[in-house]
Amino acid sequence: MNKKKLSINQIILLFSLYTTQYLGLAFFSVALIGILRQENMPLEQLGLIYMLGLFWVFRFLWAPFIDKIKFKNIGHYKGWIIIFQSLMVVVLIAISMFDVATQLSKIIFLSLFFAFFASSQNIALDALVYKSTFKSQRSLALSIKTSSGLIGMVLGGGVGLIIYSYTNWQYTILLISFVTSLSLIQLFFYKEPQIKEKIMGENKIDFRQYIEFWRGKKRKMWLVLLLIYPASIASAYGMTTPILVDLGWSLDKIGYIVNIIGYGFGIIASFCATWFIKYFGKKNSLVIAAIGQSIGALLLLVLFYDSSDYVVMFVVGFIFVFYTPSAVIMSTLMMNQASKKSPAAQFAIQHSFFMFAGIFFTSISLTLSGIFGYSNVIIICSLIGGFAALLSLKIENITKKEVQNTDDRATIISPST
């Protein structure tokens, strides 16, 4: 593997795997919601579908098994990715055989398996990125992860719904399964680096590491930052659609502005994130992104005075522009904190807290808005974002001397081609 940059083949593979990871999930959590709502399904029942995202929050529970169980001939994490990617395709094909109008319970039941397999593929893929890249390459790899996730959401949630409206359920799901299967072809041509046994993979399945990982004052400060950093951006994202609905916007117009324009800005920003981090440095980038998120939340207040198309586009675009760099930077820091002995588990536990915080603030901001009003909640969440920016100023001290096994990369026996 080139020490200076990822190869084109590796970039394409990561893009493909991370995109298909979210493709099916986006269809079930976004497009399926619209389809069922059109069939007049009650909102309280629709809310159960969002529970699919909880597999990403709790994926740290089975991550140690993926670290421990290896496939020597195929490749440790490559083997796991092939298994979970294949199971994703199989489940999608099975789902296509049922009718969405009359057999919904079976579809939702199978979608739970799909979410489990997709989140498990995420565990193995993140670990493969850790194993196969140097620290200097991780911001690029995680920029690909963020942008691919957004593209997967757009394709699965937006384009998938459009395809369904012109065709049918079976054709749409089979098309998604076909696109998901393409990553398997790419995987067969990828050779995973082999790591010396004494450095990686010999640890026992030990859940105590989840307690030991957070020992020390600095690690606790890192946990606090993980929990408060998503506050502003998650709240802003969660409140945008309800605010626009209350301002009289139609659902299709909101979908276009938020899911197409907004995600579009986010995708562009994610590709620029690597340059942003390289130019400003991790600490400055983290602080700037936190301040930008805080300002983005405050900009929602402008909508109550002017909700014209261009103003809404600017506000939504501003929110997404600062979301993606922050996601890349935080993911890079999480990966750098992980141990070589169990990268899947230690990255997963950090990212699980980060995702849980995002889900929590998205939910609680809406609940509190109904009690205290949008404006008050927006200001509070923006202030939390300001505190995150202040804490980010200490990020170098927080991560200093707390990381175990901080070598640039594990020893390679046979580099990937």
Side-chain angles (χ1 to χ4, degrees), residues 99-281:
D99 183 75
V100 68
T102 61
Q103 298 174 301
L104 179 61
S105 59
K106 295 178 181 179
I107 290 174
I108 293 178
F109 178 73
L110 287 173
S111 68
L112 293 175
F113 284 93
F114 179 86
F116 172 75
F117 296 142
S119 61
S120 300
Q121 186 258 41
N122 176 267
I123 296 171
L125 183 54
D126 287 339
L128 183 64
V129 169
Y130 178 96
K131 178 181 178 181
S132 304
T133 60
F134 292 93
K135 284 186 178 181
S136 59
Q137 300 169 331
R138 286 175 187 164
S139 61
L140 172 59
L142 293 168
S143 294
I144 295 170
K145 173 180 179 175
T146 303
S147 60
S148 300
L150 292 174
I151 292 172
M153 293 298 291
V154 171
L155 292 178
V159 178
L161 186 58
I162 294 173
I163 293 174
Y164 170 81
S165 65
Y166 283 97
T167 57
N168 56 47
W169 173 263
Q170 184 179 42
Y171 180 87
T172 305
I173 298 298
L174 287 176
L175 181 60
I176 293 174
S177 67
F178 172 74
V179 175
T180 303
S181 69
L182 295 178
S183 299
L184 288 169
I185 300 175
Q186 295 172 278
L187 271 172
F188 284 119
F189 292 97
Y190 174 76
K191 185 177 180 181
E192 181 178 340
Q194 296 178 17
I195 306 300
K196 285 184 178 180
E197 295 296 320
K198 66 178 183 179
I199 294 179
M200 175 178 279
E202 66 176 3
N203 58 304
K204 297 180 180 180
I205 297 176
D206 184 9
F207 290 97
R208 290 179 299 177
Q209 64 178 302
Y210 291 142
I211 297 175
E212 295 171 356
F213 182 85
W214 301 110
R215 286 181 178 173
K217 181 179 179 181
K218 293 179 181 179
R219 280 287 170 82
K220 289 180 174 62
M221 290 177 66
W222 173 236
L223 177 59
V224 171
L225 185 59
L226 287 174
L227 293 174
I228 67 171
Y229 199 87
S232 293
I233 199 68
S235 302
Y237 179 78
M239 287 187 283
T240 298
T241 296
I243 287 174
L244 292 176
V245 169
D246 291 348
L247 292 173
W249 277 51
S250 63
L251 290 177
D252 59 337
K253 191 174 181 180
I254 294 173
Y256 174 74
I257 296 294
V258 176
N259 295 325
I260 304 299
I261 301 297
Y263 280 125
F265 275 108
I267 292 168
I268 294 172
S270 64
F271 285 118
C272 299
T274 301
W275 172 87
F276 190 83
I277 296 170
K278 183 178 179 181
Y279 186 83
F280 291 101

Side-chain angles (χ1 to χ4, degrees), residues 1 22 25 49 93-95 114 182 190 198 227 272 322 324 356-357 377 413 417:
M1 180 181 289
Y22 286 93
L25 183 72
I49 297 177
I93 293 174
I95 289 175
F114 179 86
L182 295 178
Y190 174 76
K198 66 178 183 179
L227 293 174
C272 299
F322 282 95
T324 45
F356 171 78
V377 175
I413 297 176
T417 55

Side-chain angles (χ1 to χ4, degrees), residues 2 48 59 70 76 85 87 109 198 207 278 325 328 337 354 364 391 400:
N2 193 314
L48 294 175
R59 68 190 188 279
K70 296 173 290 184
H76 183 171
Q85 195 81 12
L87 289 172
F109 178 73
K198 66 178 183 179
F207 290 97
K278 183 178 179 181
V328 172
Q337 291 275 61
F354 188 70
I364 199 68
L391 189 57
K400 185 178 180 181

Side-chain angles (χ1 to χ4, degrees), residues 355-376:
M355 284 195 68
F356 171 78
I359 294 172
F360 173 79
F361 280 109
T362 300
S363 176
I364 199 68
S365 63
L366 288 178
T367 301
L368 294 178
S369 293
I371 301 173
F372 301 106
Y374 287 120
S375 298
N376 293 322

Side-chain angles (χ1 to χ4, degrees), residues 329-350:
I329 300 165
M330 290 297 285
S331 295
T332 302
L333 291 171
M334 291 178 217
M335 191 163 285
N336 290 343
Q337 291 275 61
S339 163
K340 288 184 176 67
K341 290 184 177 181
S342 52
Q346 294 197 2
F347 182 83
I349 188 63
Q350 295 175 80

